[in-house]
Amino acid sequence: MSLGVRRAGAGQGAAAAVQLLVTLSFLPSVVEVQVTGVLDDCLCDVDSIDNFNTFKIFPKIKKLQERDYFRYYKVNLKRPCPFWAEDGHCSIKDCHVEPCPESKIPVGIKAGSSNKYLKVANNTRELEDCEQASKLGAINSTLSNQSREAFIDWARYDDSQDHFCELDDERSPAAQYVDLLLNPERYTGYKGSSAWRVWNSIYEENCFKPRSVYRPLNPLAPSRGEDDGESFYTWLEGLCLEKRVFYKLISGLHASINLHLCANYLLEETWGKPTWGPNMKEFKRRFDPVETKGEGPRRLKNLYFLYLIELRALSKVAPYFERSIVDLYTGNVKEDADTKTLLLNIFQDTKSFPMHFDEKSMFAGDKKGAKSLKEEFRLHFKNISRIMDCVGCDKCRLWGKLQTQGLGTALKILFSEKEIQKLPENSPSKGFQLTRQEIVALLNAFGRLSTSIKELQNFKVLLQHSSSI
């Protein structure tokens, strides 16, 4: 089974190059992103991760994500937000225009306007933003009949396996398969108070932080005068390792998502044909050490920390997939075998990395206290995964749910070392099991991190180039 993916033509590539040069010309004093040296809470350095990812991981994980087993993800995008009414900017399914101001204006009138800079257009900018977000944030649900028939076969195969747990969401009538290659993670126009509410809820209510401590650059927090965030990091360093790790994982995920949006930004749209590419201004706004008062590089370091955690999980779960009983089943015998060979090859690379994070340093106190802390850790993360149902843009929700599930699966692996060591070679295990959804999320989430680090290298090159213009 093979579905074609639209590729940008040479004309679009040239347009992107021109747009990039124009963008660079407006950046006379770009400061290079300072992300170097050894990471906190581990013994690994940034340069080692860069080289390992560029030459070993990225080319292979990219190929793996194109395989049928890993390109289709089953997800329920219709679950209501369990915490608040979805009343933010464009925060309904497919990011429709209903919640936007002046929603009574017929969409056809706006669509028929040939000049975006007319006075009437300027007065309805929010409506245009919402229309753009509606279009860019919509999910492409195109699937061939052959794909649909294959999914029924896959479900029969999964039902015959011995699962560690059942995810109700997978069996929901509202759950659907999504082709991840047809729905890449990129800029959608989803922004403003609705998006900030999601991240604010994650950081403020689920990262073990008291209300009296304010995160740097939080637009929803009151002004702290001359405080540049040092009080926050003083508080963070005073936490136990496990709670510091939790915050860094969430911050790293946030940084990774922002990197994808900067690297795949809508640069221009001519005759209905969008041109996507890196947006240097947006990258600088989010990560430049001067514009972010030093916060940007810290966030990017947390991205590297998250990469290390998921890399470690892949190296630890390798024995699960190395067993002959585990089959990445799609019904295509040859492709399934090739996919498993590629996956095992990636696992060999992950095991060869010399500076892994030592997860044994976590939850190492007295058994009762460690067990309680681990459960608190798990519940906080589970709550974050539920918050992803509050994301107002479908495409953003898709990738948010996938990446949080991927990280959750990585944590499940790291906390199940004894069960993985006891896996039988030729029979199913009652102690540890991964569903297809967890496997697809795990590898695609790590693929997103690998892509983020590769994109960061590209931005560094562009920054160096811009400083010499």
Side-chain angles (χ1 to χ4, degrees), residues 90-375:
C90 301
S91 59
I92 58 174
K93 187 181 183 298
D94 282 344
C95 209
H96 290 158
V97 300
E98 283 83 353
C100 288
E102 303 184 36
S103 60
K104 294 183 179 180
I105 298 175
V107 176
I109 294 177
K110 297 301 300 176
S113 175
S114 59
N115 186 352
K116 292 175 64 176
Y117 302 103
L118 289 175
K119 184 176 180 180
V120 64
N122 290 329
N123 289 339
T124 57
R125 180 63 181 272
E126 279 196 62
L127 180 59
E128 286 188 342
D129 285 348
C130 194
E131 288 173 352
Q132 181 189 57
S134 174
K135 180 170 60 176
L136 300 180
I139 292 294
N140 184 334
S141 58
T142 304
L143 293 172
S144 68
N145 290 332
Q146 186 180 8
S147 298
R148 297 179 190 279
E149 292 172 3
F151 295 149
I152 296 174
D153 194 25
W154 293 5
R156 291 196 195 101
Y157 180 85
D158 281 348
D159 288 342
S160 70
Q161 305 305 297
D162 177 39
H163 291 308
F164 174 70
C165 63
E166 289 289 346
L167 298 180
D168 293 337
D169 197 41
E170 291 184 52
R171 298 181 176 275
S172 167
Q176 60 180 338
Y177 280 101
V178 175
D179 187 338
L180 298 175
L181 298 185
L182 289 180
N183 294 278
E185 184 181 20
R186 58 192 181 192
Y187 173 80
T188 66
Y190 179 60
K191 57 188 176 182
S193 60
S194 177
W196 270 110
R197 189 177 190 179
V198 170
W199 284 110
N200 200 60
S201 178
I202 289 173
Y203 284 116
E204 297 297 320
E205 300 168 15
N206 296 279
C207 284
F208 305 96
K209 189 183 73 61
R211 293 281 184 180
S212 58
V213 176
Y214 294 97
R215 291 182 293 114
L217 305 182
N218 179 8
L220 302 184
S223 173
R224 303 301 296 166
E226 297 300 318
D227 187 351
D228 59 357
E230 290 306 316
S231 61
F232 172 81
Y233 287 101
T234 299
W235 164 80
L236 187 64
E237 289 305 312
L239 293 178
C240 63
L241 171 65
E242 293 80 4
K243 292 181 179 180
R244 283 202 309 275
V245 166
F246 191 96
Y247 170 79
K248 289 179 180 180
L249 295 180
I250 301 307
S251 174
L253 177 61
H254 195 180
S256 179
I257 291 172
N258 281 335
L259 256 174
H260 300 149
L261 305 187
C262 295
N264 293 282
Y265 204 88
L266 181 62
L267 300 178
E268 64 177 1
E269 189 166 4
T270 306
W271 299 105
K273 294 183 179 180
T275 299
W276 304 90
N279 186 317
M280 292 290 292
K281 280 188 175 181
E282 189 67 20
F283 177 83
K284 185 171 180 282
R285 184 179 72 82
R286 294 175 186 266
F287 297 111
D288 180 82
V290 175
E291 290 205 19
T292 65
K293 300 179 180 180
E295 181 66 12
R298 281 169 160 157
R299 293 173 177 176
L300 292 174
K301 276 199 168 185
N302 290 336
L303 161 65
Y304 281 91
F305 186 80
L306 173 59
Y307 180 93
L308 274 186
I309 292 292
E310 295 200 11
L311 180 71
R312 180 60 166 169
L314 292 183
S315 71
K316 301 295 284 188
V317 82
Y320 176 87
F321 290 93
E322 289 168 350
R323 299 177 301 154
S324 58
I325 194 174
V326 175
D327 185 17
L328 303 178
Y329 181 81
T330 68
N332 185 325
V333 177
K334 184 180 185 307
E335 180 170 312
D336 292 350
D338 291 343
T339 301
K340 184 170 182 180
T341 298
L342 178 57
L343 180 62
L344 295 182
N345 193 269
I346 291 172
F347 285 142
Q348 285 301 116
D349 286 336
T350 64
K351 289 191 286 187
S352 72
F353 187 70
M355 291 174 281
H356 274 294
F357 174 79
D358 182 12
E359 74 282 357
K360 292 180 180 178
S361 60
M362 295 177 62
F363 309 110
D366 66 278
K367 289 187 177 180
K368 185 176 181 180
K371 183 178 180 180
S372 175
L373 183 58
K374 184 184 291 187
E375 179 63 9

Side-chain angles (χ1 to χ4, degrees), residues 3-21:
L3 295 180
V5 180
R6 297 186 180 94
R7 301 181 181 275
Q12 282 185 270
V18 171
Q19 180 65 32
L20 179 58
L21 290 175

